[in-house]
PDB file of all heavy atoms in Angstrom:
ATOM      1  N   ALA A  18      16.424 -86.946 -12.937  1.00  0.00           N
ATOM      2  CA  ALA A  18      17.349 -87.048 -11.809  1.00  0.00           C
ATOM      3  C   ALA A  18      17.656 -85.676 -11.229  1.00  0.00           C
ATOM      4  O   ALA A  18      17.693 -85.499  -9.999  1.00  0.00           O
ATOM      5  CB  ALA A  18      18.638 -87.726 -12.254  1.00  0.00           C
ATOM      6  N   ALA A  19      17.890 -84.688 -12.080  1.00  0.00           N
ATOM      7  CA  ALA A  19      18.184 -83.331 -11.604  1.00  0.00           C
ATOM      8  C   ALA A  19      17.030 -82.790 -10.771  1.00  0.00           C
ATOM      9  O   ALA A  19      17.241 -82.166  -9.722  1.00  0.00           O
ATOM     10  CB  ALA A  19      18.463 -82.410 -12.792  1.00  0.00           C
ATOM     11  N   LYS A  20      15.809 -83.036 -11.215  1.00  0.00           N
ATOM     12  CA  LYS A  20      14.632 -82.562 -10.484  1.00  0.00           C
ATOM     13  C   LYS A  20      14.542 -83.214  -9.108  1.00  0.00           C
ATOM     14  O   LYS A  20      14.337 -82.535  -8.092  1.00  0.00           O
ATOM     15  CB  LYS A  20      13.370 -82.857 -11.291  1.00  0.00           C
ATOM     16  CG  LYS A  20      12.078 -82.297 -10.691  1.00  0.00           C
ATOM     17  CD  LYS A  20      10.908 -82.542 -11.629  1.00  0.00           C
ATOM     18  CE  LYS A  20       9.656 -81.814 -11.143  1.00  0.00           C
ATOM     19  NZ  LYS A  20       9.221 -82.251  -9.811  1.00  0.00           N
ATOM     20  N   LEU A  21      14.719 -84.524  -9.058  1.00  0.00           N
ATOM     21  CA  LEU A  21      14.594 -85.231  -7.778  1.00  0.00           C
ATOM     22  C   LEU A  21      15.763 -84.921  -6.850  1.00  0.00           C
ATOM     23  O   LEU A  21      15.579 -84.792  -5.637  1.00  0.00           O
ATOM     24  CB  LEU A  21      14.488 -86.734  -8.016  1.00  0.00           C
ATOM     25  CG  LEU A  21      13.141 -87.205  -8.571  1.00  0.00           C
ATOM     26  CD1 LEU A  21      13.170 -88.695  -8.861  1.00  0.00           C
ATOM     27  CD2 LEU A  21      12.017 -86.895  -7.587  1.00  0.00           C
ATOM     28  N   PHE A  22      16.981 -84.809  -7.381  1.00  0.00           N
ATOM     29  CA  PHE A  22      18.129 -84.472  -6.534  1.00  0.00           C
ATOM     30  C   PHE A  22      17.929 -83.108  -5.875  1.00  0.00           C
ATOM     31  O   PHE A  22      18.269 -82.913  -4.705  1.00  0.00           O
ATOM     32  CB  PHE A  22      19.421 -84.463  -7.353  1.00  0.00           C
ATOM     33  CG  PHE A  22      19.906 -85.827  -7.762  1.00  0.00           C
ATOM     34  CD1 PHE A  22      20.780 -85.977  -8.827  1.00  0.00           C
ATOM     35  CD2 PHE A  22      19.506 -86.962  -7.083  1.00  0.00           C
ATOM     36  CE1 PHE A  22      21.241 -87.229  -9.205  1.00  0.00           C
ATOM     37  CE2 PHE A  22      19.947 -88.224  -7.450  1.00  0.00           C
ATOM     38  CZ  PHE A  22      20.820 -88.353  -8.522  1.00  0.00           C
ATOM     39  N   SER A  23      17.399 -82.145  -6.649  1.00  0.00           N
ATOM     40  CA  SER A  23      17.212 -80.803  -6.097  1.00  0.00           C
ATOM     41  C   SER A  23      16.067 -80.765  -5.090  1.00  0.00           C
ATOM     42  O   SER A  23      16.105 -80.005  -4.128  1.00  0.00           O
ATOM     43  CB  SER A  23      16.956 -79.790  -7.221  1.00  0.00           C
ATOM     44  OG  SER A  23      15.757 -80.067  -7.897  1.00  0.00           O
ATOM     45  N   GLU A  24      15.040 -81.585  -5.303  1.00  0.00           N
ATOM     46  CA  GLU A  24      13.876 -81.580  -4.414  1.00  0.00           C
ATOM     47  C   GLU A  24      14.083 -82.433  -3.166  1.00  0.00           C
ATOM     48  O   GLU A  24      13.691 -82.029  -2.061  1.00  0.00           O
ATOM     49  CB  GLU A  24      12.647 -82.084  -5.163  1.00  0.00           C
ATOM     50  CG  GLU A  24      12.154 -81.135  -6.252  1.00  0.00           C
ATOM     51  CD  GLU A  24      10.975 -81.696  -7.018  1.00  0.00           C
ATOM     52  OE1 GLU A  24      10.620 -82.879  -6.800  1.00  0.00           O
ATOM     53  OE2 GLU A  24      10.412 -80.953  -7.843  1.00  0.00           O
ATOM     54  N   LYS A  25      14.687 -83.614  -3.326  1.00  0.00           N
ATOM     55  CA  LYS A  25      14.803 -84.565  -2.224  1.00  0.00           C
ATOM     56  C   LYS A  25      16.207 -84.638  -1.633  1.00  0.00           C
ATOM     57  O   LYS A  25      16.379 -85.094  -0.500  1.00  0.00           O
ATOM     58  CB  LYS A  25      14.388 -85.975  -2.692  1.00  0.00           C
ATOM     59  CG  LYS A  25      12.939 -86.108  -3.104  1.00  0.00           C
ATOM     60  CD  LYS A  25      12.655 -87.506  -3.614  1.00  0.00           C
ATOM     61  CE  LYS A  25      11.179 -87.720  -3.871  1.00  0.00           C
ATOM     62  NZ  LYS A  25      10.395 -87.765  -2.619  1.00  0.00           N
ATOM     63  N   GLY A  26      17.208 -84.240  -2.412  1.00  0.00           N
ATOM     64  CA  GLY A  26      18.592 -84.454  -2.004  1.00  0.00           C
ATOM     65  C   GLY A  26      19.108 -85.748  -2.590  1.00  0.00           C
ATOM     66  O   GLY A  26      18.319 -86.660  -2.913  1.00  0.00           O
ATOM     67  N   PHE A  27      20.409 -85.842  -2.737  1.00  0.00           N
ATOM     68  CA  PHE A  27      20.998 -87.016  -3.373  1.00  0.00           C
ATOM     69  C   PHE A  27      20.701 -88.292  -2.599  1.00  0.00           C
ATOM     70  O   PHE A  27      20.337 -89.316  -3.178  1.00  0.00           O
ATOM     71  CB  PHE A  27      22.514 -86.829  -3.503  1.00  0.00           C
ATOM     72  CG  PHE A  27      23.218 -88.011  -4.088  1.00  0.00           C
ATOM     73  CD1 PHE A  27      23.257 -88.214  -5.454  1.00  0.00           C
ATOM     74  CD2 PHE A  27      23.828 -88.947  -3.266  1.00  0.00           C
ATOM     75  CE1 PHE A  27      23.894 -89.314  -6.008  1.00  0.00           C
ATOM     76  CE2 PHE A  27      24.482 -90.060  -3.794  1.00  0.00           C
ATOM     77  CZ  PHE A  27      24.506 -90.233  -5.168  1.00  0.00           C
ATOM     78  N   GLU A  28      20.876 -88.238  -1.275  1.00  0.00           N
ATOM     79  CA  GLU A  28      20.709 -89.456  -0.474  1.00  0.00           C
ATOM     80  C   GLU A  28      19.279 -89.979  -0.516  1.00  0.00           C
ATOM     81  O   GLU A  28      19.054 -91.185  -0.611  1.00  0.00           O
ATOM     82  CB  GLU A  28      21.122 -89.200   0.982  1.00  0.00           C
ATOM     83  CG  GLU A  28      22.615 -89.040   1.198  1.00  0.00           C
ATOM     84  CD  GLU A  28      23.069 -87.604   0.979  1.00  0.00           C
ATOM     85  OE1 GLU A  28      22.222 -86.769   0.548  1.00  0.00           O
ATOM     86  OE2 GLU A  28      24.253 -87.320   1.221  1.00  0.00           O
ATOM     87  N   ALA A  29      18.301 -89.085  -0.453  1.00  0.00           N
ATOM     88  CA  ALA A  29      16.902 -89.513  -0.360  1.00  0.00           C
ATOM     89  C   ALA A  29      16.340 -89.982  -1.703  1.00  0.00           C
ATOM     90  O   ALA A  29      15.470 -90.855  -1.741  1.00  0.00           O
ATOM     91  CB  ALA A  29      16.046 -88.374   0.193  1.00  0.00           C
ATOM     92  N   ALA A  30      16.802 -89.409  -2.776  1.00  0.00           N
ATOM     93  CA  ALA A  30      16.293 -89.808  -4.097  1.00  0.00           C
ATOM     94  C   ALA A  30      16.781 -91.215  -4.432  1.00  0.00           C
ATOM     95  O   ALA A  30      17.934 -91.568  -4.189  1.00  0.00           O
ATOM     96  CB  ALA A  30      16.773 -88.825  -5.160  1.00  0.00           C
ATOM     97  N   THR A  31      15.900 -92.033  -4.979  1.00  0.00           N
ATOM     98  CA  THR A  31      16.257 -93.401  -5.328  1.00  0.00           C
ATOM     99  C   THR A  31      16.193 -93.595  -6.838  1.00  0.00           C
ATOM    100  O   THR A  31      15.538 -92.824  -7.555  1.00  0.00           O
ATOM    101  CB  THR A  31      15.307 -94.410  -4.660  1.00  0.00           C
ATOM    102  OG1 THR A  31      13.992 -94.254  -5.235  1.00  0.00           O
ATOM    103  CG2 THR A  31      15.235 -94.182  -3.156  1.00  0.00           C
ATOM    104  N   MET A  32      16.856 -94.649  -7.297  1.00  0.00           N
ATOM    105  CA  MET A  32      16.818 -94.948  -8.730  1.00  0.00           C
ATOM    106  C   MET A  32      15.389 -95.292  -9.169  1.00  0.00           C
ATOM    107  O   MET A  32      14.974 -94.952 -10.280  1.00  0.00           O
ATOM    108  CB  MET A  32      17.768 -96.097  -9.041  1.00  0.00           C
ATOM    109  CG  MET A  32      19.244 -95.741  -8.898  1.00  0.00           C
ATOM    110  SD  MET A  32      19.823 -94.612 -10.182  1.00  0.00           S
ATOM    111  CE  MET A  32      20.251 -95.786 -11.496  1.00  0.00           C
ATOM    112  N   ALA A  33      14.627 -95.947  -8.295  1.00  0.00           N
ATOM    113  CA  ALA A  33      13.238 -96.276  -8.632  1.00  0.00           C
ATOM    114  C   ALA A  33      12.414 -95.004  -8.811  1.00  0.00           C
ATOM    115  O   ALA A  33      11.586 -94.912  -9.732  1.00  0.00           O
ATOM    116  CB  ALA A  33      12.632 -97.157  -7.538  1.00  0.00           C
ATOM    117  N   GLN A  34      12.634 -94.025  -7.929  1.00  0.00           N
ATOM    118  CA  GLN A  34      11.914 -92.759  -8.048  1.00  0.00           C
ATOM    119  C   GLN A  34      12.305 -92.020  -9.324  1.00  0.00           C
ATOM    120  O   GLN A  34      11.463 -91.406  -9.979  1.00  0.00           O
ATOM    121  CB  GLN A  34      12.204 -91.883  -6.829  1.00  0.00           C
ATOM    122  CG  GLN A  34      11.572 -92.385  -5.543  1.00  0.00           C
ATOM    123  CD  GLN A  34      12.057 -91.640  -4.319  1.00  0.00           C
ATOM    124  OE1 GLN A  34      13.120 -91.004  -4.338  1.00  0.00           O
ATOM    125  NE2 GLN A  34      11.289 -91.705  -3.248  1.00  0.00           N
ATOM    126  N   ILE A  35      13.584 -92.068  -9.650  1.00  0.00           N
ATOM    127  CA  ILE A  35      14.056 -91.410 -10.870  1.00  0.00           C
ATOM    128  C   ILE A  35      13.423 -92.065 -12.099  1.00  0.00           C
ATOM    129  O   ILE A  35      13.006 -91.389 -13.033  1.00  0.00           O
ATOM    130  CB  ILE A  35      15.592 -91.456 -10.953  1.00  0.00           C
ATOM    131  CG1 ILE A  35      16.201 -90.593  -9.838  1.00  0.00           C
ATOM    132  CG2 ILE A  35      16.082 -90.973 -12.323  1.00  0.00           C
ATOM    133  CD1 ILE A  35      17.701 -90.763  -9.672  1.00  0.00           C
ATOM    134  N   ALA A  36      13.337 -93.387 -12.079  1.00  0.00           N
ATOM    135  CA  ALA A  36      12.707 -94.103 -13.188  1.00  0.00           C
ATOM    136  C   ALA A  36      11.248 -93.690 -13.339  1.00  0.00           C
ATOM    137  O   ALA A  36      10.768 -93.454 -14.458  1.00  0.00           O
ATOM    138  CB  ALA A  36      12.826 -95.608 -12.973  1.00  0.00           C
ATOM    139  N   ARG A  37      10.529 -93.596 -12.209  1.00  0.00           N
ATOM    140  CA  ARG A  37       9.121 -93.187 -12.276  1.00  0.00           C
ATOM    141  C   ARG A  37       8.994 -91.762 -12.794  1.00  0.00           C
ATOM    142  O   ARG A  37       8.114 -91.456 -13.595  1.00  0.00           O
ATOM    143  CB  ARG A  37       8.474 -93.303 -10.892  1.00  0.00           C
ATOM    144  CG  ARG A  37       8.145 -94.734 -10.486  1.00  0.00           C
ATOM    145  CD  ARG A  37       7.161 -94.770  -9.332  1.00  0.00           C
ATOM    146  NE  ARG A  37       7.701 -94.141  -8.135  1.00  0.00           N
ATOM    147  CZ  ARG A  37       8.420 -94.774  -7.220  1.00  0.00           C
ATOM    148  NH1 ARG A  37       8.704 -96.070  -7.362  1.00  0.00           N
ATOM    149  NH2 ARG A  37       8.858 -94.141  -6.155  1.00  0.00           N
ATOM    150  N   GLN A  38       9.877 -90.872 -12.330  1.00  0.00           N
ATOM    151  CA  GLN A  38       9.853 -89.484 -12.774  1.00  0.00           C
ATOM    152  C   GLN A  38      10.103 -89.384 -14.280  1.00  0.00           C
ATOM    153  O   GLN A  38       9.498 -88.556 -14.969  1.00  0.00           O
ATOM    154  CB  GLN A  38      10.912 -88.672 -12.008  1.00  0.00           C
ATOM    155  CG  GLN A  38      10.997 -87.201 -12.368  1.00  0.00           C
ATOM    156  CD  GLN A  38       9.782 -86.415 -11.928  1.00  0.00           C
ATOM    157  OE1 GLN A  38       9.178 -86.703 -10.893  1.00  0.00           O
ATOM    158  NE2 GLN A  38       9.392 -85.416 -12.705  1.00  0.00           N
ATOM    159  N   ALA A  39      10.968 -90.246 -14.767  1.00  0.00           N
ATOM    160  CA  ALA A  39      11.283 -90.262 -16.200  1.00  0.00           C
ATOM    161  C   ALA A  39      10.279 -91.079 -17.003  1.00  0.00           C
ATOM    162  O   ALA A  39      10.397 -91.153 -18.235  1.00  0.00           O
ATOM    163  CB  ALA A  39      12.690 -90.825 -16.410  1.00  0.00           C
ATOM    164  N   GLU A  40       9.317 -91.696 -16.301  1.00  0.00           N
ATOM    165  CA  GLU A  40       8.286 -92.539 -16.938  1.00  0.00           C
ATOM    166  C   GLU A  40       8.922 -93.704 -17.693  1.00  0.00           C
ATOM    167  O   GLU A  40       8.560 -94.012 -18.835  1.00  0.00           O
ATOM    168  CB  GLU A  40       7.399 -91.697 -17.870  1.00  0.00           C
ATOM    169  CG  GLU A  40       6.653 -90.595 -17.135  1.00  0.00           C
ATOM    170  CD  GLU A  40       5.746 -89.789 -18.055  1.00  0.00           C
ATOM    171  OE1 GLU A  40       5.894 -89.902 -19.292  1.00  0.00           O
ATOM    172  OE2 GLU A  40       4.903 -89.037 -17.536  1.00  0.00           O
ATOM    173  N   LEU A  41       9.873 -94.343 -17.019  1.00  0.00           N
ATOM    174  CA  LEU A  41      10.558 -95.491 -17.591  1.00  0.00           C
ATOM    175  C   LEU A  41      10.547 -96.633 -16.588  1.00  0.00           C
ATOM    176  O   LEU A  41      10.431 -96.425 -15.379  1.00  0.00           O
ATOM    177  CB  LEU A  41      12.016 -95.141 -17.932  1.00  0.00           C
ATOM    178  CG  LEU A  41      12.255 -94.070 -18.999  1.00  0.00           C
ATOM    179  CD1 LEU A  41      13.729 -93.705 -19.038  1.00  0.00           C
ATOM    180  CD2 LEU A  41      11.781 -94.551 -20.361  1.00  0.00           C
ATOM    181  N   ALA A  42      10.721 -97.823 -17.076  1.00  0.00           N
ATOM    182  CA  ALA A  42      10.879 -98.974 -16.184  1.00  0.00           C
ATOM    183  C   ALA A  42      12.263 -98.917 -15.536  1.00  0.00           C
ATOM    184  O   ALA A  42      13.224 -98.464 -16.174  1.00  0.00           O
ATOM    185  CB  ALA A  42      10.728-100.268 -16.975  1.00  0.00           C
ATOM    186  N   PRO A  43      12.383 -99.355 -14.270  1.00  0.00           N
ATOM    187  CA  PRO A  43      13.693 -99.334 -13.617  1.00  0.00           C
ATOM    188  C   PRO A  43      14.766-100.050 -14.422  1.00  0.00           C
ATOM    189  O   PRO A  43      15.919 -99.601 -14.475  1.00  0.00           O
ATOM    190  CB  PRO A  43      13.426-100.044 -12.283  1.00  0.00           C
ATOM    191  CG  PRO A  43      11.976 -99.777 -12.011  1.00  0.00           C
ATOM    192  CD  PRO A  43      11.310 -99.794 -13.353  1.00  0.00           C
ATOM    193  N   GLY A  44      14.392-101.153 -15.060  1.00  0.00           N
ATOM    194  CA  GLY A  44      15.374-101.878 -15.857  1.00  0.00           C
ATOM    195  C   GLY A  44      15.911-101.049 -17.008  1.00  0.00           C
ATOM    196  O   GLY A  44      17.102-101.127 -17.351  1.00  0.00           O
ATOM    197  N   THR A  45      15.059-100.220 -17.588  1.00  0.00           N
ATOM    198  CA  THR A  45      15.496 -99.350 -18.685  1.00  0.00           C
ATOM    199  C   THR A  45      16.487 -98.310 -18.174  1.00  0.00           C
ATOM    200  O   THR A  45      17.482 -97.998 -18.841  1.00  0.00           O
ATOM    201  CB  THR A  45      14.283 -98.648 -19.321  1.00  0.00           C
ATOM    202  OG1 THR A  45      13.370 -99.630 -19.798  1.00  0.00           O
ATOM    203  CG2 THR A  45      14.717 -97.756 -20.470  1.00  0.00           C
ATOM    204  N   LEU A  46      16.209 -97.790 -16.976  1.00  0.00           N
ATOM    205  CA  LEU A  46      17.105 -96.795 -16.376  1.00  0.00           C
ATOM    206  C   LEU A  46      18.515 -97.352 -16.231  1.00  0.00           C
ATOM    207  O   LEU A  46      19.513 -96.681 -16.561  1.00  0.00           O
ATOM    208  CB  LEU A  46      16.556 -96.375 -15.017  1.00  0.00           C
ATOM    209  CG  LEU A  46      17.371 -95.342 -14.238  1.00  0.00           C
ATOM    210  CD1 LEU A  46      17.387 -94.007 -14.964  1.00  0.00           C
ATOM    211  CD2 LEU A  46      16.787 -95.161 -12.837  1.00  0.00           C
ATOM    212  N   TYR A  47      18.626 -98.595 -15.777  1.00  0.00           N
ATOM    213  CA  TYR A  47      19.941 -99.194 -15.542  1.00  0.00           C
ATOM    214  C   TYR A  47      20.674 -99.534 -16.841  1.00  0.00           C
ATOM    215  O   TYR A  47      21.876 -99.802 -16.812  1.00  0.00           O
ATOM    216  CB  TYR A  47      19.793-100.444 -14.669  1.00  0.00           C
ATOM    217  CG  TYR A  47      19.611-100.124 -13.203  1.00  0.00           C
ATOM    218  CD1 TYR A  47      18.345-100.147 -12.631  1.00  0.00           C
ATOM    219  CD2 TYR A  47      20.704 -99.784 -12.409  1.00  0.00           C
ATOM    220  CE1 TYR A  47      18.161 -99.845 -11.283  1.00  0.00           C
ATOM    221  CE2 TYR A  47      20.534 -99.489 -11.059  1.00  0.00           C
ATOM    222  CZ  TYR A  47      19.263 -99.508 -10.508  1.00  0.00           C
ATOM    223  OH  TYR A  47      19.094 -99.197  -9.175  1.00  0.00           O
ATOM    224  N   LEU A  48      19.977 -99.516 -17.946  1.00  0.00           N
ATOM    225  CA  LEU A  48      20.659 -99.699 -19.230  1.00  0.00           C
ATOM    226  C   LEU A  48      21.507 -98.472 -19.571  1.00  0.00           C
ATOM    227  O   LEU A  48      22.475 -98.566 -20.313  1.00  0.00           O
ATOM    228  CB  LEU A  48      19.637 -99.934 -20.353  1.00  0.00           C
ATOM    229  CG  LEU A  48      18.876-101.260 -20.321  1.00  0.00           C
ATOM    230  CD1 LEU A  48      17.828-101.279 -21.431  1.00  0.00           C
ATOM    231  CD2 LEU A  48      19.830-102.437 -20.470  1.00  0.00           C
ATOM    232  N   TYR A  49      21.129 -97.332 -18.988  1.00  0.00           N
ATOM    233  CA  TYR A  49      21.819 -96.071 -19.283  1.00  0.00           C
ATOM    234  C   TYR A  49      22.792 -95.672 -18.177  1.00  0.00           C
ATOM    235  O   TYR A  49      23.849 -95.108 -18.453  1.00  0.00           O
ATOM    236  CB  TYR A  49      20.791 -94.959 -19.495  1.00  0.00           C
ATOM    237  CG  TYR A  49      20.007 -95.106 -20.779  1.00  0.00           C
ATOM    238  CD1 TYR A  49      18.889 -95.942 -20.843  1.00  0.00           C
ATOM    239  CD2 TYR A  49      20.392 -94.440 -21.929  1.00  0.00           C
ATOM    240  CE1 TYR A  49      18.180 -96.095 -22.025  1.00  0.00           C
ATOM    241  CE2 TYR A  49      19.687 -94.575 -23.119  1.00  0.00           C
ATOM    242  CZ  TYR A  49      18.577 -95.418 -23.161  1.00  0.00           C
ATOM    243  OH  TYR A  49      17.884 -95.560 -24.336  1.00  0.00           O
ATOM    244  N   PHE A  50      22.412 -95.932 -16.938  1.00  0.00           N
ATOM    245  CA  PHE A  50      23.254 -95.556 -15.797  1.00  0.00           C
ATOM    246  C   PHE A  50      23.253 -96.704 -14.791  1.00  0.00           C
ATOM    247  O   PHE A  50      22.196 -97.136 -14.346  1.00  0.00           O
ATOM    248  CB  PHE A  50      22.740 -94.271 -15.143  1.00  0.00           C
ATOM    249  CG  PHE A  50      22.743 -93.083 -16.063  1.00  0.00           C
ATOM    250  CD1 PHE A  50      21.575 -92.709 -16.729  1.00  0.00           C
ATOM    251  CD2 PHE A  50      23.901 -92.359 -16.292  1.00  0.00           C
ATOM    252  CE1 PHE A  50      21.575 -91.624 -17.584  1.00  0.00           C
ATOM    253  CE2 PHE A  50      23.903 -91.265 -17.145  1.00  0.00           C
ATOM    254  CZ  PHE A  50      22.744 -90.901 -17.799  1.00  0.00           C
ATOM    255  N   LYS A  51      24.431 -97.166 -14.434  1.00  0.00           N
ATOM    256  CA  LYS A  51      24.546 -98.333 -13.563  1.00  0.00           C
ATOM    257  C   LYS A  51      24.266 -98.009 -12.105  1.00  0.00           C
ATOM    258  O   LYS A  51      23.954 -98.898 -11.315  1.00  0.00           O
ATOM    259  CB  LYS A  51      25.938 -98.946 -13.701  1.00  0.00           C
ATOM    260  CG  LYS A  51      26.226 -99.490 -15.091  1.00  0.00           C
ATOM    261  CD  LYS A  51      27.637-100.057 -15.163  1.00  0.00           C
ATOM    262  CE  LYS A  51      27.936-100.591 -16.565  1.00  0.00           C
ATOM    263  NZ  LYS A  51      29.317-101.117 -16.680  1.00  0.00           N
ATOM    264  N   SER A  52      24.419 -96.727 -11.719  1.00  0.00           N
ATOM    265  CA  SER A  52      24.249 -96.361 -10.315  1.00  0.00           C
ATOM    266  C   SER A  52      23.835 -94.899 -10.192  1.00  0.00           C
ATOM    267  O   SER A  52      23.927 -94.129 -11.153  1.00  0.00           O
ATOM    268  CB  SER A  52      25.558 -96.579  -9.546  1.00  0.00           C
ATOM    269  OG  SER A  52      26.580 -95.726 -10.062  1.00  0.00           O
ATOM    270  N   LYS A  53      23.411 -94.533  -9.000  1.00  0.00           N
ATOM    271  CA  LYS A  53      22.982 -93.166  -8.748  1.00  0.00           C
ATOM    272  C   LYS A  53      24.160 -92.192  -8.809  1.00  0.00           C
ATOM    273  O   LYS A  53      24.015 -91.068  -9.298  1.00  0.00           O
ATOM    274  CB  LYS A  53      22.289 -93.087  -7.385  1.00  0.00           C
ATOM    275  CG  LYS A  53      21.556 -91.791  -7.134  1.00  0.00           C
ATOM    276  CD  LYS A  53      20.624 -91.892  -5.936  1.00  0.00           C
ATOM    277  CE  LYS A  53      21.377 -92.160  -4.646  1.00  0.00           C
ATOM    278  NZ  LYS A  53      20.510 -92.005  -3.459  1.00  0.00           N
ATOM    279  N   ASP A  54      25.329 -92.626  -8.343  1.00  0.00           N
ATOM    280  CA  ASP A  54      26.486 -91.737  -8.400  1.00  0.00           C
ATOM    281  C   ASP A  54      26.945 -91.514  -9.844  1.00  0.00           C
ATOM    282  O   ASP A  54      27.433 -90.429 -10.195  1.00  0.00           O
ATOM    283  CB  ASP A  54      27.642 -92.257  -7.534  1.00  0.00           C
ATOM    284  CG  ASP A  54      28.069 -93.659  -7.906  1.00  0.00           C
ATOM    285  OD1 ASP A  54      27.305 -94.581  -7.617  1.00  0.00           O
ATOM    286  OD2 ASP A  54      29.166 -93.813  -8.482  1.00  0.00           O
ATOM    287  N   GLU A  55      26.770 -92.515 -10.700  1.00  0.00           N
ATOM    288  CA  GLU A  55      27.100 -92.324 -12.116  1.00  0.00           C
ATOM    289  C   GLU A  55      26.161 -91.295 -12.742  1.00  0.00           C
ATOM    290  O   GLU A  55      26.582 -90.457 -13.553  1.00  0.00           O
ATOM    291  CB  GLU A  55      26.985 -93.654 -12.858  1.00  0.00           C
ATOM    292  CG  GLU A  55      27.380 -93.566 -14.334  1.00  0.00           C
ATOM    293  CD  GLU A  55      27.296 -94.906 -15.050  1.00  0.00           C
ATOM    294  OE1 GLU A  55      27.618 -95.932 -14.413  1.00  0.00           O
ATOM    295  OE2 GLU A  55      26.909 -94.918 -16.225  1.00  0.00           O
ATOM    296  N   LEU A  56      24.893 -91.340 -12.336  1.00  0.00           N
ATOM    297  CA  LEU A  56      23.916 -90.368 -12.809  1.00  0.00           C
ATOM    298  C   LEU A  56      24.299 -88.958 -12.339  1.00  0.00           C
ATOM    299  O   LEU A  56      24.235 -87.984 -13.111  1.00  0.00           O
ATOM    300  CB  LEU A  56      22.543 -90.737 -12.246  1.00  0.00           C
ATOM    301  CG  LEU A  56      21.410 -91.026 -13.227  1.00  0.00           C
ATOM    302  CD1 LEU A  56      20.164 -91.460 -12.473  1.00  0.00           C
ATOM    303  CD2 LEU A  56      21.124 -89.847 -14.104  1.00  0.00           C
ATOM    304  N   TYR A  57      24.682 -88.862 -11.099  1.00  0.00           N
ATOM    305  CA  TYR A  57      25.062 -87.557 -10.527  1.00  0.00           C
ATOM    306  C   TYR A  57      26.266 -86.985 -11.269  1.00  0.00           C
ATOM    307  O   TYR A  57      26.302 -85.795 -11.607  1.00  0.00           O
ATOM    308  CB  TYR A  57      25.382 -87.720  -9.040  1.00  0.00           C
ATOM    309  CG  TYR A  57      25.547 -86.422  -8.308  1.00  0.00           C
ATOM    310  CD1 TYR A  57      24.437 -85.750  -7.795  1.00  0.00           C
ATOM    311  CD2 TYR A  57      26.802 -85.852  -8.112  1.00  0.00           C
ATOM    312  CE1 TYR A  57      24.587 -84.557  -7.117  1.00  0.00           C
ATOM    313  CE2 TYR A  57      26.953 -84.668  -7.439  1.00  0.00           C
ATOM    314  CZ  TYR A  57      25.841 -84.017  -6.937  1.00  0.00           C
ATOM    315  OH  TYR A  57      25.988 -82.829  -6.270  1.00  0.00           O
ATOM    316  N   PHE A  58      27.251 -87.813 -11.545  1.00  0.00           N
ATOM    317  CA  PHE A  58      28.435 -87.367 -12.277  1.00  0.00           C
ATOM    318  C   PHE A  58      28.049 -86.903 -13.677  1.00  0.00           C
ATOM    319  O   PHE A  58      28.565 -85.885 -14.171  1.00  0.00           O
ATOM    320  CB  PHE A  58      29.462 -88.492 -12.361  1.00  0.00           C
ATOM    321  CG  PHE A  58      30.728 -88.109 -13.074  1.00  0.00           C
ATOM    322  CD1 PHE A  58      31.769 -87.494 -12.389  1.00  0.00           C
ATOM    323  CD2 PHE A  58      30.885 -88.351 -14.434  1.00  0.00           C
ATOM    324  CE1 PHE A  58      32.936 -87.128 -13.044  1.00  0.00           C
ATOM    325  CE2 PHE A  58      32.040 -87.985 -15.096  1.00  0.00           C
ATOM    326  CZ  PHE A  58      33.076 -87.375 -14.394  1.00  0.00           C
ATOM    327  N   ALA A  59      27.139 -87.626 -14.320  1.00  0.00           N
ATOM    328  CA  ALA A  59      26.714 -87.280 -15.676  1.00  0.00           C
ATOM    329  C   ALA A  59      25.984 -85.941 -15.713  1.00  0.00           C
ATOM    330  O   ALA A  59      25.937 -85.280 -16.752  1.00  0.00           O
ATOM    331  CB  ALA A  59      25.816 -88.372 -16.243  1.00  0.00           C
TER     332      ALA A  59
END
């Protein structure tokens, strides 16, 4: 998430892109963070 936020900006980066960057399924990502703003806060 940090990599994509810095490269694309918060608005442009998506949870699907973050999941791909982390090499995880989107469903797995949501088990840890319910939303993009929760990820940003973390």
Side-chain angles (χ1 to χ4, degrees):
K20 185 175 188 299
L21 286 176
F22 288 159
S23 64
E24 291 177 353
K25 296 177 173 290
F27 177 82
E28 288 86 354
T31 67
M32 291 290 274
Q34 290 170 340
I35 293 170
R37 284 197 298 272
Q38 180 69 34
E40 299 182 346
L41 296 171
T45 301
L46 180 65
Y47 281 100
L48 291 175
Y49 290 83
F50 299 97
K51 296 179 181 178
S52 63
K53 192 166 63 169
D54 56 289
E55 183 178 324
L56 239 176
Y57 190 85
F58 181 86

